[in-house]
Amino acid sequence: MNTLQQTTPACLHHLRVVSANPDGLMKFYERMLDLKAVPSAKSGDVVMTGPSRAIIVSVQEDGNAPYFAYSVSDALALGQLAERLTVRAVPFERIEDPLFPGGAIIFSDPQGRHFVFGVAARIEGQGAPARLQHTVFQTTELERVTRFFVNKVGFTISDEVVDTDGSVMVVFLRSDDEHHTLAFFRGSRNEWDHHCYETNEWNDIRDWGDRFAAAEVPIFFGPGRHGPGNNLFFMVTDPDGNRLEFSAELQRVTADAEPGVWPQCERTLNSWGRAWVRS
């Protein structure tokens, strides 16, 4: 089967987050990630953009839902993706997204998470380097959601983390040449786990750490190096408790590479030492 990586490469472009305290959330992303609010035609949504990163902040109320938005190269690629979803019986709708003026579609995974694919406008802005790169979830139905994203949407498995009894605990999925743009951890809850910003080098990780330290935002995981993906990282949280990862040196993977298999242990999640193991 032709994959996204082979036919219509896609990268994570922006997020739509829903908050009970949107003003506090916006102030955090403005101060800490150099995002600036820009006009939005949709009432209740605030679009915030910066250098190679963006979020849409929406007030928590009935009818508002978060989504995770991936960009493809052009209208032809978006049409090919829509055809793929149609052939594989995945319902989707057209959606107006302020950061996808070239058109967009939205669909849901088997557990109700919303994903948008569209053709992006260039995101401008000044600030420290950190490109929005991947998002991760915890799920109670790892096999089901993995089958959906691989067989229906066209993601490719880069690596799996396997427990001693043979159970797959984590799946890392790619939609372009980077090791993962999406991942799922087996857990006791269905929730958003984190999202990640890819920097240029180790010194950028240092500089982001210094920035959060100066603002008295503590690092809760890391610094360290992941086994799958081989990337340097650390994690912090925003005022809503959403987890942000900052990463460097993420592995690139060829389209014909076989999935890797890693043991479920702390050194797989952090080869430098202690790890945050989901439960």
Side-chain angles (χ1 to χ4, degrees):
M1 182 182 75
N2 290 333
T3 66
L4 291 175
Q5 183 182 11
Q6 294 170 317
T7 59
T8 53
C11 59
L12 184 64
H13 184 267
H14 64 275
L15 314 169
R16 184 176 191 253
V17 296
V18 175
S19 175
N21 180 25
D23 290 339
L25 200 63
M26 288 185 290
K27 288 177 182 176
F28 173 88
Y29 282 92
E30 180 178 32
R31 178 168 61 108
M32 301 308 304
L33 274 85
D34 306 312
L35 299 185
K36 303 297 183 185
V38 298
S40 172
K42 186 172 181 179
S43 176
D45 278 2
V46 176
V47 178
M48 303 190 73
T49 65
S52 301
R53 51 189 181 264
I55 62 171
I56 302 171
V57 179
S58 184
V59 64
Q60 185 174 315
E61 61 184 18
D62 289 345
N64 279 355
Y67 62 66
F68 308 88
Y70 287 74
S71 175
V72 296
S73 59
D74 52 31
L76 177 60
L78 185 62
Q80 290 174 320
L81 175 61
E83 182 178 1
R84 178 200 301 270
L85 296 177
T86 299
V87 169
R88 289 163 177 77
V90 178
F92 66 87
E93 298 177 353
R94 300 289 172 177
I95 184 175
E96 295 293 328
D97 180 287
L99 292 167
F100 284 157
I105 59 177
I106 185 170
F107 60 87
S108 299
D109 78 5
Q111 292 189 305
R113 303 174 192 88
H114 301 300
F115 290 82
V116 170
F117 280 71
V119 182
R122 181 177 175 82
I123 298 178
E124 304 289 350
Q126 298 294 319
R131 168 177 52 89
L132 182 62
Q133 193 277 323
H134 72 253
T135 190
V136 177
F137 302 89
Q138 294 187 45
T139 175
T140 58
E141 298 182 278
L142 181 60
E143 291 82 5
R144 187 182 181 204
V145 295
T146 299
R147 286 195 302 271
F148 175 82
F149 281 101
V150 172
N151 298 336
K152 302 285 190 179
V153 186
F155 281 77
T156 306
I157 297 175
S158 293
D159 277 321
E160 295 178 323
V161 178
V162 179
D163 209 348
T164 53
D165 65 359
S167 299
V168 177
M169 304 302 292
V170 191
V171 179
F172 294 90
L173 300 165
R174 67 183 183 273
S175 55
D176 59 12
D177 290 344
E178 291 190 300
H179 179 271
H180 60 284
T181 56
L182 178 65
F184 289 92
F185 284 74
R186 186 188 302 278
S188 58
R189 299 175 299 278
N190 295 303
E191 65 180 26
W192 189 23
D193 190 272
H194 71 269
H195 65 289
C196 181
Y197 298 88
E198 181 73 6
T199 65
N200 295 332
E201 59 179 1
W202 169 245
N203 284 347
D204 295 329
I205 296 286
R206 176 202 64 192
D207 294 345
W208 279 104
D210 285 344
R211 172 182 285 207
F212 285 108
E216 299 185 359
V217 177
I219 291 173
F220 83 89
F221 182 22
R225 184 184 287 277
H226 293 311
N230 197 40
N231 51 312
L232 303 159
F233 75 93
F234 72 81
M235 288 188 179
V236 297
T237 57
D238 70 19
D240 281 9
N242 302 314
R243 304 174 188 99
L244 291 71
E245 179 179 22
F246 289 80
S247 165
E249 302 180 8
L250 182 66
Q251 179 184 2
R252 301 185 76 85
V253 183
T254 60
D256 60 351
E258 292 295 320
V261 179
W262 296 78
Q264 170 77 344
C265 64
E266 284 194 307
R267 286 187 60 81
T268 288
L269 296 181
N270 182 10
S271 62
W272 288 5
R274 299 304 302 272
W276 167 41
V277 179
R278 286 71 166 178
S279 60

